[in-house]
Amino acid sequence: MKNKEQSSTSPHPFSFAMPPFDPSRARHPSSFVGIPEEFLLLIGHIIGAWSQFDMSFNQLLGKLLIAAGDVSDRWEMESFKRRSKRLRQACQPRFKDHHAILRSVDQLVADARNLQTDRNLIAHGHILIKMQTLGVVDNQIQGKLSLYCIGQEGGTRLEREYSLHELELVRYEFAYLCGRMSALVTGENLHHLQFSSADMDALRSFLSEHDD
């Protein structure tokens, strides 16, 4: 993900708070995830957001395919890359006179494929916590914590580092992705997508005709 904002590189008080646990409930030996709680919370948000997006994506794609006479459900097991190609192809004849809808779908797919790399690294890659200490100020150790992810995509090794700020930005990018996807599959909040009245009517009419 290319961040729209640059995170601060200035040092700050260094801390490493592990998620709490109840020793009386732990069986021995037990080993808990060595990732600070604030990072784990954002990881959960990002993984959950992709699931939410993917379900809505499949819902819209299913409606379009059924409308085109394709009642098979085999596509549900395809990769996102193949399904996104199906979505763009299915939208062309249905909304050929509504270029704003087609542009919105194209941009949504492009953004989703970029963010999928972040999600896959975070969900499926190897995660390390990188700690960089930067000296002592006012009797407090200054430093930075970041999430270091190692994985692969298409056979190519990928490594990305996320500060807490950068991970928060990924979360907000996913929220924007999910919001746009929700608008396309529910017909709500379409004014945020800069659709004309005719565009909104066309999409809502289609959704109404194919309401599950």
Side-chain angles (χ1 to χ4, degrees):
M1 185 200 73
K2 294 182 179 179
N3 294 329
K4 296 179 180 179
E5 304 176 40
Q6 295 297 322
S7 60
S8 173
T9 57
S10 60
H12 49 77
F14 185 87
S15 65
F16 192 106
M18 296 300 297
F21 69 94
D22 183 353
S24 67
R25 299 177 62 185
R27 293 187 294 173
H28 298 289
S30 291
S31 177
F32 293 92
V33 177
I35 299 175
E37 192 168 18
E38 60 268 28
F39 281 91
L40 285 176
L41 181 62
L42 291 171
I43 289 171
H45 278 298
I46 290 166
I47 293 173
W50 180 264
S51 177
Q52 176 182 326
F53 165 78
D54 205 39
M55 287 189 292
S56 296
F57 183 95
N58 280 356
Q59 188 178 354
L60 180 59
L61 178 55
K63 290 177 184 292
L64 286 161
L65 292 177
I66 289 173
D70 184 351
V71 296
S72 169
D73 61 358
R74 289 175 296 180
W75 57 269
E76 293 182 4
M77 303 304 296
E78 293 179 346
S79 67
F80 179 71
K81 182 178 181 179
R82 290 180 63 88
R83 284 182 288 126
S84 61
K85 183 178 180 180
R86 282 183 182 270
L87 181 69
R88 296 172 70 179
Q89 290 174 337
C91 281
Q92 286 292 335
R94 174 62 57 172
F95 302 114
K96 63 180 185 300
D97 297 324
H98 300 278
H99 301 295
I101 296 178
L102 298 179
R103 284 196 301 270
S104 182
V105 169
D106 285 346
Q107 188 61 58
L108 185 81
V109 166
D111 291 346
R113 291 182 64 176
N114 285 333
L115 285 169
Q116 187 186 28
T117 298
D118 290 296
R119 177 264 181 186
N120 287 347
L121 269 176
I122 292 167
H124 302 301
H126 292 174
I127 295 178
L128 305 170
I129 287 294
K130 182 177 179 180
M131 296 179 285
Q132 181 181 7
T133 57
L134 301 171
V136 179
V137 177
D138 296 331
N139 295 319
Q140 288 186 312
I141 298 176
Q142 305 291 303
K144 296 185 292 184
L145 283 177
S146 58
L147 199 71
Y148 194 77
C149 301
I150 305 169
Q152 62 176 352
E153 184 176 71
T156 301
R157 178 184 173 93
L158 290 180
E159 298 180 18
R160 288 189 181 178
E161 184 175 343
Y162 304 90
S163 68
L164 188 64
H165 173 75
E166 289 165 340
L167 207 59
E168 286 174 337
L169 291 180
V170 175
R171 178 198 174 195
Y172 278 98
E173 288 298 318
F174 265 105
Y176 181 46
L177 185 75
C178 289
R180 286 178 288 161
M181 188 70 253
S182 177
L184 290 174
V185 81
T186 64
E188 300 175 0
N189 297 314
L190 292 175
H191 59 286
H192 291 297
L193 303 185
Q194 299 182 334
F195 284 4
S196 68
S197 295
D199 295 329
M200 294 185 202
D201 289 344
L203 180 58
R204 287 169 178 159
S205 176
F206 167 76
L207 293 174
S208 178
E209 290 171 10
H210 301 280
D211 187 13
D212 296 332

